[in-house]
Amino acid sequence: MPVDAIFETGKVYLYIGCLSSLFFSCILRKNLKYQSIMSDSYSISPGGEKFPLPKPEAYKTEFDRLKKRVDQERAKNREIVVVMGVGFVGAVMAAIVADTVDKNGNPSKFVIGMQRPSARSYWKIPLLNRGVSPVKAEDPEVDPMIARCVNDKKTLMATYTYDVLKLADVVVVDVQCDYLKEDLGNVRNGITDMAALESSIGVIASHISPDALVLIETTVAPGTTEQVAYPIMKKEFKKRGIESDPLLAHSYERVMPGRNYVASIRDFWRVCSGINKEAKERVVKFLNEVLNTDKFPLTVMDRPIESETAKIVENSYRATILAFLDEWSLYAERNGVDLIKVIQAIKVRPTHSNMIFPGPGIGGYCLPKDGGLGVWAYKHILGFEDDIFKITPMAIDINDTRGLHVGQLTRDALRNMGQPIAAADVLVLGAAYREDVGDTRYSGSEIVIRKLAEMGAEIRVHDPYVEHWWEFEQQDTYPGEGLSKARFFRNQEKLKEVRIEKDLDKALNGAEAVIFAVRHEAYLKLQPDEVVKKIGQPAAIIDCFGVLTDDNIRRYFKLGCEVKGLGRGHIQRIKDELRKT
Ligand SMILES: NC(=O)c1ccc[n+]([C@@H]2O[C@H](COP(=O)([O-])OP(=O)(O)OC[C@H]3O[C@@H](n4cnc5c(N)ncnc54)[C@H](O)[C@@H]3O)[C@@H](O)[C@H]2O)c1
């Protein structure tokens, strides 16, 4: 019974083999969690296509197929790279590696994306094998690059069997490592969930050849590579009678899904380190081959904990400068100040050019959790008892609760139009965590909607990039049982019915309040006359992201609407001026 068949059937087998019982129970727990989300016999892509999960008997045939293919590729002098986890990072990283050419312009890598066959994620494998990207992004490079590597260059494929690891020269680990918060707005009360990462490392060590390089790209709690991954690998190697040290390295991703998705991986600076001299040399060689390091040179750190810490500090810094503007945003609203113009005025100073308006919350997979990984690691991996962290947790807590204020603005705007928020039809424009991407993880819009639902509003949502908003549709089980943010609010049951409306005209029709929650390009161009015509009546307009120009704000007022905005205190002044004329 291959280990991955455990995932596939969801049954309890007395197969512990090379895994520790703790590790086994983690896999099983995770597996059962995923099994309960959807059917246990097939996986459904966001586009609605059903893919039957592989049966236990399919694994051998799959491995034979891979082996044959790998033998052919090796004969062409291609290095075999397995990318574990073909999510937002892994899918595009796999394509970039597969696109690599040598000095003569010939493909030098053969890449196999490896994805566990859970009901939630298996669909990514057949899609990738067709040359279709499992992630949706605005970057025009993503789709053709994946199609080219799979169908033309034939340097990329995907599989579900862990046995593929036996064939790897390099394994790139792009699985998730989560930070689970127990409260809303208190990051200290949380834990790092590294079950997927620990199980991946165990499986890798039980399959790979001892001289394969294992590159962890996952953002981890500092200390993980040396104090969690290394001991797991060492133990597995020992069981297999392998004396040598694993060639373990860390290099974090700085990917920005969006218009520059590919470039943010390939044409961007990287930091890396290795557990020993050989691992360090191997990771430097690999990254120099697959990334544009001529223009964006590598930074090589002495130890993996330094590379891991760099990622955490980098994102804590970003979370902090964003959180910093929250109090000034409230200040601006209460004192007739437009914070958007204040920021523009300050940003002309080159030293302050990275100031950015925070919007209704800081989402994405990284900024809400990475500081938490650092604070947690200080105690639970590195073993300190004192509490030295003040700014990082406070910043994350501010960012996590910033969206609540949008509920108040919407309530007040509707009240000014003589309408209570309870039972009002509220349209939220944008579900994604940032502009022009389809990723809803930790999006500020989720908090906005949960607060509005708590206050009794009826919710509709439009987003050009998001197909399903699992945080609502599957809130009983997604992102895990008992983990939905629904638990921090009352009146959340009906949000399971939230569906993304793709037709903007339909979404607008009859809405009583419209919230500009994300700066998607499609929303920046919307003109007040057009919006009000499509709504069919004046409505409350809430600007969470500095989307509205002063002319547009003025026009909305003239059309009978009420306007409010995060950090946009000057709106009241515009309203007063219009009243006087
Ligand atoms: N998304 C971003 O913008 C971003 C940016 C920088 C860094 N990162 C980091 O990169 C890492 C991956 O993030 P992501 O956004 O790609 O996550 P993701 O959830 O989109 O992808 C992770 C994938 O790994 C798969 N997986 C989990 N366990 C597995 C196993 N045992 N074997 C094989 N596959 C397995 C999952 O099914 C999933 O497809 C995280 O540590 C994240 O913090 C993400």
Side-chain angles (χ1 to χ4, degrees):
M1 168 77 52
V3 175
D4 18 5
I6 296 169
F7 286 98
E8 197 271 327
T9 60
K11 289 176 197 155
V12 181
Y13 290 97
L14 274 180
Y15 177 84
I16 295 183
C18 53
L19 311 171
S20 71
S21 53
L22 173 72
F23 163 47
F24 177 74
S25 72
C26 286
I27 294 180
L28 198 62
R29 248 199 342 263
K30 274 249 148 185
N31 182 34
L32 293 175
K33 191 172 86 182
Y34 286 112
Q35 292 289 329
S36 62
I37 291 174
M38 293 176 190
S39 157
D40 58 359
S41 58
Y42 53 82
S43 170
I44 307 175
S45 73
E49 198 176 345
K50 269 189 188 177
F51 295 97
L53 295 183
K55 300 236 166 1
E57 58 271 23
Y59 283 76
K60 191 180 169 313
T61 324
E62 174 74 356
F63 181 69
D64 291 345
R65 179 179 80 99
L66 291 167
K67 172 86 175 64
K68 209 167 138 196
R69 182 74 191 273
V70 162
D71 288 345
Q72 289 164 358
E73 299 299 331
R74 255 194 230 292
K76 293 179 205 157
N77 248 340
R78 291 180 183 168
E79 190 171 41
I80 310 302
V81 180
V82 172
V83 176
M84 250 187 134
V86 287
F88 282 94
V89 175
V92 179
M93 178 64 184
I96 287 169
V97 179
D99 213 28
T100 306
V101 289
D102 61 20
K103 279 186 231 114
N104 304 319
N106 297 317
S108 55
K109 313 276 177 210
F110 180 69
V111 182
I112 308 172
M114 194 270 137
Q115 175 64 52
R116 62 183 172 184
S118 63
R120 186 157 113 190
S121 293
Y122 172 68
W123 56 269
K124 295 173 192 174
I125 299 166
L127 280 197
L128 254 176
N129 279 331
R130 279 182 203 160
V132 176
S133 168
V135 290
K136 217 173 164 212
E138 259 295 88
D139 186 346
E141 253 202 274
V142 173
D143 290 344
M145 181 184 246
I146 289 180
R148 175 172 71 241
C149 291
V150 174
N151 298 323
D152 304 337
K153 293 172 91 172
K154 301 201 188 307
T155 51
L156 176 61
M157 63 182 290
T159 188
Y160 50 84
T161 176
Y162 286 123
D163 283 338
V164 70
L165 291 161
K166 294 178 187 163
L167 309 171
D169 299 314
V170 177
V171 180
V172 180
V173 183
D174 280 324
V175 306
Q176 72 275 24
C177 172
D178 291 321
Y179 184 77
L180 308 177
K181 297 172 191 165
E182 304 289 336
D183 299 329
L184 182 67
N186 181 11
V187 69
R188 285 174 197 280
N189 191 10
I191 52 162
T192 297
D193 174 9
M194 52 170 118
L197 181 72
E198 283 178 293
S199 65
S200 302
I201 296 293
V203 173
I204 290 168
S206 64
H207 284 74
I208 54 165
S209 108
D211 53 5
L213 171 71
V214 177
L215 166 56
I216 300 177
E217 290 198 324
T218 300
T219 304
V220 292
T224 298
T225 303
E226 285 153 291
Q227 298 194 40
V228 179
Y230 176 78
I232 292 175
M233 291 196 75
K234 195 72 190 157
K235 243 186 255 172
E236 293 300 332
F237 270 23
K238 219 171 169 186
K239 275 186 212 158
R240 294 173 59 198
I242 301 167
E243 288 301 319
S244 59
D245 258 354
L247 296 176
L248 189 54
H250 181 263
S251 174
Y252 61 90
E253 278 288 357
R254 286 168 161 156
V255 56
M256 291 291 288
R259 290 211 189 93
N260 299 315
Y261 204 155
V262 172
S264 70
I265 297 181
R266 186 191 54 205
D267 308 317
F268 213 59
W269 298 270
R270 272 288 185 110
V271 178
C272 67
S273 190
I275 204 131
N276 53 32
K277 189 167 172 278
E278 194 183 346
K280 213 184 284 179
E281 281 166 7
R282 284 281 299 275
V283 73
V284 168
K285 178 175 178 289
F286 177 71
L287 293 175
N288 275 330
E289 282 166 357
V290 299
L291 305 179
N292 185 3
T293 52
D294 285 345
K295 275 206 180 144
F296 303 92
L298 292 177
T299 304
V300 186
M301 309 297 267
D302 283 345
R303 289 178 53 200
I305 192 175
E306 289 169 324
S307 163
E308 294 165 337
T309 303
K311 172 68 178 181
I312 299 303
V313 174
E314 188 171 314
N315 278 348
S316 299
Y317 167 73
R318 189 75 170 156
T320 302
I321 54 170
L322 285 155
F324 161 74
L325 282 180
D326 178 68
E327 60 202 34
W328 291 107
S329 182
L330 289 173
Y331 161 92
E333 282 170 36
R334 291 170 188 173
N335 291 286
V337 171
D338 183 5
L339 190 66
I340 301 291
K341 294 196 199 90
V342 168
I343 292 171
Q344 280 161 359
I346 296 169
K347 276 174 80 162
V348 296
R349 266 187 79 164
T351 51
H352 289 51
S353 62
N354 63 354
M355 240 187 179
I356 179 171
F357 187 74
I362 312 307
Y365 190 41
C366 298
L367 296 201
K369 73 167 168 56
D370 288 356
L373 293 174
V375 173
W376 181 89
Y378 181 70
K379 190 167 179 186
H380 297 286
I381 295 184
L382 305 169
F384 290 94
E385 285 306 321
D386 58 340
D387 184 3
I388 57 169
F389 292 101
K390 294 185 183 71
I391 294 172
T392 299
M394 188 192 288
I396 292 176
D397 293 347
I398 289 170
N399 293 338
D400 282 356
T401 49
R402 181 164 159 77
L404 299 173
H405 183 52
V406 180
Q408 294 170 34
L409 291 183
T410 313
R411 176 199 65 198
D412 293 351
L414 282 163
R415 182 203 55 217
N416 290 355
M417 296 183 79
Q419 200 186 337
I421 189 156
D425 271 316
V426 179
L427 167 64
V428 176
L429 291 178
Y433 82 90
R434 56 165 290 194
E435 68 271 20
D436 304 324
V437 301
D439 186 352
T440 58
R441 288 180 292 176
Y442 306 115
S443 118
S445 300
E446 182 185 349
I447 292 294
V448 171
I449 287 177
R450 295 208 178 278
K451 186 69 199 166
L452 290 167
E454 183 167 83
M455 295 161 90
E458 296 295 324
I459 307 295
R460 28 173 125 168
V461 187
H462 174 273
D463 194 297
Y465 305 99
V466 177
E467 305 287 339
H468 287 278
W469 204 346
W470 299 122
E471 283 83 346
F472 291 116
E473 283 186 41
Q474 305 277 347
Q475 66 183 10
D476 289 340
T477 48
Y478 186 89
E481 259 166 61
L483 295 180
S484 167
K485 289 199 179 118
R487 71 194 194 281
F488 303 129
F489 299 86
R490 71 171 195 97
N491 212 15
Q492 301 292 295
E493 202 49 27
K494 63 181 177 184
L495 291 177
K496 279 184 207 161
E497 272 126 54
V498 164
R499 295 293 177 271
I500 307 278
E501 176 58 67
K502 288 283 178 193
D503 182 337
L504 184 57
D505 292 5
K506 250 197 203 164
L508 284 166
N509 187 18
E512 287 160 316
V514 177
I515 301 179
F516 287 91
V518 182
R519 288 181 63 89
H520 284 324
E521 200 179 304
Y523 305 149
L524 302 180
K525 291 182 255 169
L526 286 175
Q527 290 306 310
D529 288 83
E530 183 194 350
V531 170
V532 173
K533 194 167 161 221
K534 284 174 179 165
I535 294 174
Q537 70 211 10
I541 308 290
I542 316 297
D543 180 4
C544 298
F545 242 128
V547 167
L548 302 181
T549 62
D550 287 0
D551 283 347
N552 283 352
I553 293 168
R554 220 168 266 123
R555 186 64 194 152
Y556 275 119
F557 277 126
K558 283 193 177 155
L559 291 166
C561 299
E562 176 66 19
V563 187
K564 291 205 174 283
L566 286 178
R568 311 210 71 186
H570 74 309
I571 291 177
Q572 188 58 37
R573 199 171 60 239
I574 294 178
K575 190 178 170 185
D576 292 344
E577 278 164 18
L578 285 172
R579 217 183 272 146
K580 278 184 216 145
T581 55

